[in-house]
Amino acid sequence: MNILVINCGSSSLKFQLINAGTEDVLAKGLCERIGIDGRLVYQPAGGEKEVTEAAMPGHKEAIQMVLDALKNPNTGVIKSLDEVGAVGHRVVHGGEKFASSVILTDEVVKGIEECSELAPLHNPANLIGITACKELMPSTPMVGVFDTAFHQTMPEEAYLYGLPYEYYEKYKVRRYGFHGTSHSYVSKRVAAFLGKDYENLKTIVCHLGNGSSLSAVKNGKCMDTSMGLTPLEGLVMGTRSGDIDPAIMEFIAKKENLDIAGVMNVLNKKSGVFGLSKDLSSDFRDLETAQEEGNTFAANARKVFVYRVAKYIGAYVAAMNGVDAIAFTAGVGENDHLVREEVCKYLGYLGITLDPEANKKRGQEIRISTPDSKVAVLIIPTNEELAIARETMALVQKEK
Ligand code: ADP
């Protein structure tokens, strides 16, 4: 069965068509500038990338273009839409309602709408994609896979904030965590790679990309993760501040004459390594080049980033009373050997020694700690689309 995986944002949409049996990607691409002008990038497996500029007034038109590209007699990979057995949708926030993936019934769609308050930028965009797909493929089963679901096993002491309890009762203000599909996929791959039982392993997953988060996974369950009610909490990220003293908000608002929206904009878009490097870049490649050229702000930005990662690893070793494996994943985690090396310099107390040759490798699952290290350090490339396709397939088969 082929599964169409859709990740729908407010003005863009990423897709992959995956053969669930072989797990091969048959075609992939993205629609950009939806509602502005419109651009489709489409690439069949083994083929050239095609770029088509065409009007995309809304998501329905964008998805229609994707389906037409998949069926195109020359470069398409299917003959008819009957060859799409199900659609898996990435949904950002499932609140406390959704602790696992679900078939998207009308009732579930209503439930996702109710969670929109918690992710006002993301859930409405995800819902637009779901509605458009349902209209274009009314008899194809649809599944929602939530970024928050994997973290729903966190215990109360990890998910409650030190705030009046009534805010949790009335408004569900608590820590949820994000990147759950990646943390779930990578932690399972760690167990498989090491030939260990997932249900009997303590793993820390470092998902370091533009947005970054860590998770502590003990015996197959997420015990803690660094993002919170929103993806702003935790690590220092590309442009997000991560943890700060909340009193800074009032202080900066007064000094810079900003309202709440203005301060939030600074914390989400102008902070992180971007802000620390004096607006040089949020991209670690740029920061490293600048550092080599003697830019001390870029160097400090990287140091602050690395230190925060190391500090969270220490916290999660404590939360799990030990750790068997630490995995690096996502854009920075998979590609940046300097960040991995610098993080591991803090971890000597865990009996970790880095293998410098292995650490230079990219694009494959590999152990980068020496064989005598007490904790295995690994690079595990994440694959959220494949994880969504697997979840979708499993649910659709269960329904049959
Ligand atoms: P997201 O999915 O959160 O947008 P990614 O996981 O794709 O982000 O990560 C993107 C980031 O990965 C880039 O901003 C850049 O900092 C980093 N990155 C990508 N390739 C490299 C590389 N070769 N070396 C260092 N950093 C890299």
Side-chain angles (χ1 to χ4, degrees), residues 207-211 282-285 288 330-332 335-336 362:
H207 178 110
L208 310 178
N210 241 328
S282 59
D283 192 308
F284 277 70
R285 289 164 288 198
E288 268 145 38
V332 179
N335 296 304
D336 195 325
R362 270 162 66 169

Side-chain angles (χ1 to χ4, degrees), residues 82 84-85 133-134 136-142:
D82 296 342
V84 178
C133 277
K134 278 184 166 237
L136 293 168
M137 292 180 273
S139 53
T140 309
M142 311 261 155

Side-chain angles (χ1 to χ4, degrees), residues 42-289:
Y42 170 81
Q43 187 174 28
E48 295 285 311
K49 234 183 219 173
E50 276 173 28
V51 181
T52 316
E53 313 274 346
M56 285 178 197
H59 288 74
K60 196 171 165 188
E61 290 82 2
I63 293 169
Q64 184 65 62
M65 278 191 71
V66 170
L67 300 177
D68 290 344
L70 291 171
K71 288 188 299 181
N72 183 298
N74 299 319
T75 50
V77 290
I78 53 173
K79 291 207 169 59
S80 90
L81 285 185
D82 296 342
E83 292 174 52
V84 178
V87 184
H89 292 268
R90 176 192 180 209
V91 182
V92 167
H93 218 307
E96 285 188 329
K97 274 199 180 76
F98 302 108
S100 59
S101 305
V102 280
I103 300 271
L104 291 167
T105 59
D106 291 345
E107 200 191 334
V108 167
V109 169
K110 224 172 124 237
I112 297 173
E113 268 163 18
E114 284 163 20
C115 297
S116 284
E117 207 181 28
L118 296 168
L121 295 179
H122 294 102
N123 273 28
N126 303 152
L127 281 163
I128 290 171
I130 291 167
T131 309
C133 277
K134 278 184 166 237
E135 278 174 31
L136 293 168
M137 292 180 273
S139 53
T140 309
M142 311 261 155
V143 168
V145 180
F146 300 89
D147 267 22
T148 48
F150 181 63
H151 305 303
Q152 277 296 303
T153 51
M154 280 194 284
E156 271 175 333
E157 60 269 33
Y159 73 66
L160 285 177
Y161 286 114
L163 288 170
Y165 193 76
E166 63 188 85
Y167 295 162
Y168 170 56
E169 290 177 312
K170 284 200 283 192
Y171 313 123
K172 295 283 170 228
V173 172
R174 52 157 282 177
R175 307 185 61 253
Y176 291 95
F178 298 87
H179 296 140
T181 311
S182 175
H183 287 289
S184 164
Y185 173 84
V186 171
S187 57
K188 288 186 182 103
R189 285 304 313 155
V190 167
F193 181 90
L194 295 173
K196 297 266 169 70
D197 179 9
Y198 187 52
E199 309 293 327
N200 191 20
L201 197 68
K202 295 170 182 172
T203 302
I204 295 173
V205 178
C206 309
H207 178 110
L208 310 178
N210 241 328
S212 296
S213 66
L214 252 69
S215 68
V217 184
K218 185 177 175 184
N219 304 340
K221 288 198 170 70
C222 177
M223 306 304 287
D224 205 347
T225 190
S226 59
M227 285 178 167
L229 175 75
T230 75
L232 185 54
E233 190 181 337
L235 303 176
V236 173
M237 309 182 208
T239 61
R240 291 181 215 145
S241 64
D243 301 338
I244 57 164
D245 178 345
I248 291 172
M249 298 183 70
E250 187 199 15
F251 188 84
I252 294 300
K254 281 188 183 151
K255 291 280 182 201
E256 296 272 313
N257 197 19
L258 292 170
D259 59 8
I260 289 186
V263 176
M264 290 309 292
N265 188 48
V266 172
L267 298 184
N268 274 305
K269 303 211 170 117
K270 301 199 156 120
S271 301
V273 290
F274 173 77
L276 281 166
S277 67
K278 288 202 163 183
D279 300 0
L280 178 75
S281 179
S282 59
D283 192 308
F284 277 70
R285 289 164 288 198
D286 299 335
L287 296 176
E288 268 145 38
T289 308

